[in-house]
Amino acid sequence: MNINTDQTAIDAVTLEVPDTAAATAFYATAFGLGDQLRVRAAEAATAGFRGYILSLVVSQPSTVDSLIGTALEAGATPVKPAKKSFWGYGGVVQAPDGAIWKIATSAKKDTGPATREIDDFVVLLGVDNVKATKQFYVDRGLTVGKSFGSKYVEFEAPAGSVKLALYGHKAAAKDAGVDPEGSGSHRIVLGSGIGPFADPDGFAWEAGH
């Protein structure tokens, strides 16, 4: 693993929420992501789709069902019920603070007992111009792992760190099952050794620690 990749890794995702105690309790119960997900108080105006999806990739459908189940019990709102698709199996929920979460697996059948293990935590940014934003991040030292033209880009990340992916804004909203319209603050901050800066779509990065 080269030093460069470590420096560009996302250490933590911080969600700006109106009630930190409620959000902390919700995420501990729903997903148990530990230090990779943080919350802090913010009252910045925001409306509609915030332009991102937080994605948890797991190994099998029963794990999807378990995580969605605890999220709903803790107060999340269902957006897309979990079901099989061409890509595998997954569903979408909205946390009480407004963040959109997708829980998915590429497997269509369980291969073992249900677990709550999360294989990948991915921040999917819905951007105006995928190619331009890809170049913006490459210029800051990120390495492209997968790229599908101007549609989708996923950057390499060290094992155990949060992954970054880019999708067109409308495509991301469609994937999440929400209206693409939105305004105001994204209410998300990414912590990494390459921060601080704001990307072309206004997503904020700060120095990781």
Side-chain angles (χ1 to χ4, degrees):
M1 201 184 294
N2 64 39
I3 292 169
N4 191 30
T5 312
D6 276 352
Q7 286 173 338
T8 59
I10 299 172
D11 306 315
V13 176
T14 301
L15 295 176
E16 298 182 327
V17 302
D19 184 336
T20 55
T24 300
F26 168 78
Y27 286 116
T29 304
F31 306 132
L33 291 164
D35 283 349
Q36 286 190 324
L37 184 73
R38 300 169 187 175
V39 298
R40 68 178 175 218
E43 295 288 351
T46 186
F49 181 45
R50 294 180 193 170
Y52 69 86
I53 301 167
L54 297 170
S55 179
L56 301 178
V57 182
V58 299
S59 62
Q60 57 185 12
S62 61
T63 308
V64 172
D65 289 338
S66 175
L67 290 166
I68 288 180
T70 50
L72 294 175
E73 282 168 25
T77 307
V79 179
K80 275 173 110 171
K83 63 177 185 180
K84 282 184 186 175
S85 70
F86 175 74
W87 301 106
Y89 182 84
V92 178
V93 298
Q94 185 169 26
D97 64 84
I100 299 281
W101 290 82
K102 179 180 181 179
I103 298 92
T105 177
S106 56
K108 294 186 184 178
K109 289 194 296 195
D110 287 336
T111 52
T115 73
R116 289 178 58 79
E117 198 166 309
I118 293 159
D119 299 332
D120 283 313
F121 177 14
V122 185
V123 179
L124 182 73
L125 303 182
V127 302
D128 188 47
N129 184 323
V130 173
K131 280 189 173 174
T133 304
K134 175 174 88 168
Q135 191 57 49
F136 174 88
Y137 282 114
V138 167
D139 290 345
R140 271 151 191 78
L142 272 69
T143 305
V144 174
K146 293 178 191 167
S147 182
F148 300 95
S150 59
K151 294 207 171 16
Y152 178 83
V153 177
E154 191 177 285
F155 296 97
E156 287 181 4
S161 67
V162 182
K163 283 188 172 174
L164 177 69
L166 307 176
Y167 213 8
H169 180 92
K170 282 186 177 169
K174 186 178 178 187
D175 186 46
V178 297
D179 189 298
E181 294 305 311
S183 62
S185 172
H186 293 301
R187 286 204 184 177
I188 186 171
V189 180
L190 306 178
S192 168
I194 58 169
F197 59 84
D199 79 0
D201 291 86
F203 287 102
W205 289 63
E206 62 187 21
H209 47 80

